[in-house]
Every structure is written in C-alpha cells, then in structure tokens.
Amino acid sequence: MSRYYTEDHEWIEVEGEAATVGITEYAQEQLGDIVFVELPEEGAELEKSKDAAVVESVKAASDVYAPITGTVIEVNSALEDDPALVNSSPEEDGWFFKLTIADESELEGLMDEAAYKSFVDGL
Amino acid sequence: MMSEEETETPPETLALDAWHRAHGARMVPFAGYEMPIQYEGIVAEHDWTRAHAGLFDVSHMGQLTLSGDGAAQALEALVPGLVSSLKPGKMRYSLLLAEDGGILDDLMITNTGEHIALVVNGACKWDDIAFLREHLPDEITLTHHDEQALLALQGPEAVDALGELVPGAAELVFMTAGYYDWNGVPLWISRAGYTGEDGFEISVPAEHAEKLATALVEDKRVKPIGLGARDSLRLEAGLPLYGHDLTAEIDPVSADLTFALSKKRRESGGYHGHERISAALLDGSQRTRIGLVLDGRLPAREGSEIFAGDTQVGTVTSGGFSPTLGHPIAMGYVEAGRAEIGTALEVQVRSKRLPARVAQMPFVPHRYYRGS
C-alpha cells in the first residue's frame, strides 16, 4: 500500500487495482467545521484534476479534485450522517470515495508523504 | 482546493494584530485589513457567544463624528431616520442613502451630547466619508477617528464581564451609550451589536486596545471570536450584511428595513430617495428581502437561484449552516407575491434543487436588554 498527496491537499491510497481518496489533515484544519460533503455517484467517471466532490464548511464551499482518472466504485456513506468525520479523522474514517486506476503513470506526478510534508511546511 | 480572496492593495494591520496572532487567530484579508477569521473554530466560537460572551475586534469599521451647528439636521438629508430628535446618549440604526434612495451603507447614529457619532462598515468607510463630505455643508466638521479601536463584547454574559471591569456600564440599556473611565482610559460604550445577543461595542484609543482585550479575556466567560462566527451569528439574527444583502441597487422598502424609516419623516420627507421610498411604501416593492430555511444539511450560499416551479423568482444574498438550529438558513430577495411566511420555494445548489420555505426573521430570537 502506498499513499500519495496532491498540491490541492487530497490524499490517495493505492491498494492493488483501486485507490481511496480523501482530504488531508491540513485541508480539514483550513476548512474548519464541515457540515456537508457532496460525494460523486458510484459509477461516475472522474478525470484527473477535475471536480470530484464538494466540501461545505460553515464558512464556504470548496471543491475537491480527483487526484487521478478513474471510475468511482464506492463512496463513504458514513459522511452523509456525520460529515464531521472529515474533521475528526480526515485521513482514515473520513475518506471520500474509492476509484479504479485508469492510468498508473498518473500516480508518478504526485507527492509522497515526505514531499507533501515539506510542501505544507512551506505554505 | 482552497481559494483565498485577493485584494488589490496590501491589507493594513489592526492595532490588535499581534494580540490576535498570539491568541491563535487565523488572519485573512477583509475590508482592507488583516482580520481574524477564527481562533479555535467557527462553530465553537459561535456557540460560545450564544452561551457566554465573545470578544470581537471590529476596528476595521469606520468611527466618524459630525460636529458643528445643525449637524443632525444636515445628516437627515442623507438618512431616512430622525437624528435631530435623538437625545444625548441615544442611538439608532439607519441607512445612508444615495440620491435615488439606493442604500450606500447601513450605520449606527448616536448623539454623544458633543457631536453626532457614526459607525459605518469597514468596506464602505472611504466611500462614505467622500459621500458625506460631498453632501454635508462645509461648516459641518467630519472627523474620522482612526486612532480609536472598536471592540464588541456580545453574549448573555457580556453584561457581567464588562460590568465588573467598567463600573456603571451594565446600567446601559439597548441602543444607549455613554463615556466611561477604565483605569484612566476613556471608553465610549454602546449597548448594541450585530449578533442578536445582548452586548456592547467599546470604542477605545488604539494604544489601549490590547490592554483592554487582555483584561476582557482574563474573565473566564469571555473568549476572542473571529469574523467567521460574527457572520453566522448575524445571519441567524436576520441582520443584513452590506455588500451582500444590501447594495446601492436596493431601497429600504425592498430591504424590509421600514423600521428604519421614521414615521414622521415618511411624511415630511426631505431626504434622498424619499419619492421612490414613498411610492414603494404605497405600492409595495417589486422584490423583498426574505429569510429561507432549508431541510437537510447542504447550505445555499450567496448567488444561489431561488425557484418557484420552473421560474426563477429570486436570488440568495447570504446563506450558510446555522450552528444554533442545526440546518441551513439563508437570506435573499424574491419577487412580489413570493415573500409570505411559509411560501414553499426551491433553491438551486449546483445540480440539486433544495426545498426551502420562507421563514420569519430573526431565525434565532434577539435577546437585547431593554431594561427591567
């Protein structure tokens, strides 16, 4: 299993043929209290760097982009009743969706944990 | 994923800038200043203010005074409320009107006894100053007190916290104000605010602002609160935000602010836009500011279109999730005939049409202290 990060503060964890996507601790901290998460439909075809989900905090709505191209195979239905899971456990229980990996080479452009950490430290 | 608002010129810093940062604030540019958007989190700060007392730095707002003979009468040409009959120590909410009756700003007007004091919105203050200077007679002196900071202490425990620090301040009632002494520091204190809660606004010389803020938060009932919660509190209180719910295109009748039109002056007139406002009072306005409540959890934000069936009948001007009520609320304008309380409408948020109902404002009852 390996986890990658984007400059837009999404994480993506690869497990064999599929990957799980969520937003990082840094992102949830910046967004503040999350009141609603609009997830993609299962079966939706997502394109790398295009809209995948929307996070509504008390303050504002923010887009979440797809880190890679793929088809949504599962969404985290727990976020429907408890969107604050994204605040309390952004990188585990507060995951957003799982998708297929259309093109493994797209992962190469993403950051690993160390690179993302230094990216965030530089913000 | 994140987008920050950009400003044209680098923002100015508040007198309390370092104090905010030391208290864990996240600072964002707003109205030309670096301002604290939040400290521990918007919902926690919002709830704290409703239950205890929140300290807000609103020093970005414009503190102006008008002096000279006839200052009150002169101002009456630009606002629809009575100013000349305001007794010393009394204040009222009013609207600065363009010549066509459009709202240029909303403001508080106080008779301090010495002069007429105005508190105007931070984002409008430079335009307001230019407009006032242009329209007031030359013999009226307009002073911008940018050497003063402005703190708001809001919430049910504000009166106890401030009362212990500043003897006598607790005796003020809603919409009255006076001079107080705090260890030799002169404070101008009003019992007013923009959260719907009982509370105070305290004008303090900027060099003493840090000392006062520190003394206030040393009280366990008081926490510093950011702009984020200020916005959710005022929305729950049904109070319009200039630049969003009020603009120069909107007149006071459409804005549902007829309480700011003094009865006497509705007839006597003599202020900007009186004709248009009288006509709107008589015939009704084409659109009206309303409150909306939504089911579920997905908020409708500013710019969301309001529908009745397939027809767009209005637009949301501010909206968000109400921490107190646990569901989304919004303010907006709808065309005539759609404003009745209980009217079922829909709001478009991205690809979804959300059911909404026109609701009475305030969404959360005001708790002003009007005397026992």
Side-chain angles (χ1 to χ4, degrees), chain A residues 1-79:
Chain A
M1 287 201 303
S2 40
R3 189 172 281 219
Y4 302 91
Y5 298 85
T6 72
E7 291 188 0
D8 298 313
H9 308 287
E10 291 99 13
W11 56 263
I12 175 166
E13 177 140 327
V14 177
E15 295 175 76
E17 306 280 287
T20 306
V21 174
I23 66 169
T24 65
E25 173 64 31
Y26 176 85
Q28 78 77 17
E29 222 269 323
Q30 291 291 308
L31 290 168
D33 305 293
I34 290 165
V35 297
F36 188 84
V37 182
E38 189 168 296
L39 294 167
E41 304 267 323
E42 280 177 24
E45 313 257 336
L46 302 182
E47 206 179 319
K48 181 181 165 69
S49 304
K50 296 284 168 60
D51 294 350
V54 183
V55 184
E56 298 270 1
S57 69
V58 172
K59 193 170 58 172
S62 306
D63 291 321
V64 174
Y65 306 112
I68 60 166
T69 303
T71 305
V72 176
I73 49 178
E74 191 182 343
V75 299
N76 186 359
S77 54
L79 298 184

Side-chain angles (χ1 to χ4, degrees), chain B residues 93-302:
Chain B
Y93 173 85
S94 197
L95 303 162
L96 188 65
L97 297 176
E99 278 156 308
D100 69 354
I103 301 170
L104 295 176
D105 200 358
D106 60 342
L107 73 170
M108 287 289 189
I109 303 176
T110 310
N111 180 356
T112 70
E114 285 171 39
H115 41 227
I116 301 296
L118 313 178
V119 177
V120 303
N121 279 298
C124 305
K125 66 183 174 186
W126 301 111
D127 288 342
D128 290 352
I129 290 167
F131 183 83
L132 288 164
R133 195 59 282 168
E134 183 189 341
H135 289 274
L136 291 172
D138 290 343
E139 55 271 25
I140 306 297
T141 304
L142 169 63
T143 310
H144 180 200
H145 297 272
D146 55 0
E147 76 288 356
Q148 293 285 111
L150 190 63
L151 303 180
L153 188 68
Q154 302 279 297
E157 293 175 358
V159 61
D160 299 327
L162 189 65
E164 280 177 25
L165 214 56
V166 185
E171 286 153 33
L172 289 169
V173 296
F174 184 57
M175 297 302 264
T176 64
Y179 282 109
Y180 293 86
D181 175 88
W182 176 60
N183 303 329
V185 177
L187 304 177
W188 173 254
I189 301 179
S190 312
R191 196 150 189 175
Y194 221 60
T195 59
E197 294 296 328
D198 179 25
F200 301 85
E201 290 191 346
I202 309 159
S203 179
V204 54
E207 68 270 26
H208 296 292
E210 203 167 298
K211 204 168 54 178
L212 178 61
T214 299
L216 284 167
V217 299
E218 270 171 12
D219 189 311
K220 291 285 166 270
R221 293 167 288 203
V222 180
K223 282 188 182 183
I225 308 295
L227 279 182
R230 183 169 164 84
D231 190 52
S232 52
L233 289 160
R234 71 91 201 161
L235 181 61
E236 288 184 345
L239 301 170
L241 179 62
Y242 195 82
H244 301 265
D245 310 306
L246 305 176
T247 69
E249 279 74 56
I250 291 163
D251 66 83
V253 181
S254 307
D256 196 23
L257 297 175
T258 50
F259 78 90
L261 306 171
S262 295
K263 289 254 157 48
K264 235 181 206 170
R265 302 198 65 214
R266 288 184 195 192
E267 288 155 30
S268 63
Y271 56 87
H272 280 173
H274 178 249
E275 208 169 306
R276 171 181 171 187
I277 290 166
S278 299
L281 279 171
L282 203 63
D283 307 330
S285 51
Q286 290 183 321
R287 52 183 175 167
T288 307
R289 184 172 65 96
I290 51 144
L292 288 172
V293 296
L294 288 80
D295 298 330
R297 297 185 60 92
L298 175 55
R301 314 264 180 197
E302 181 175 7

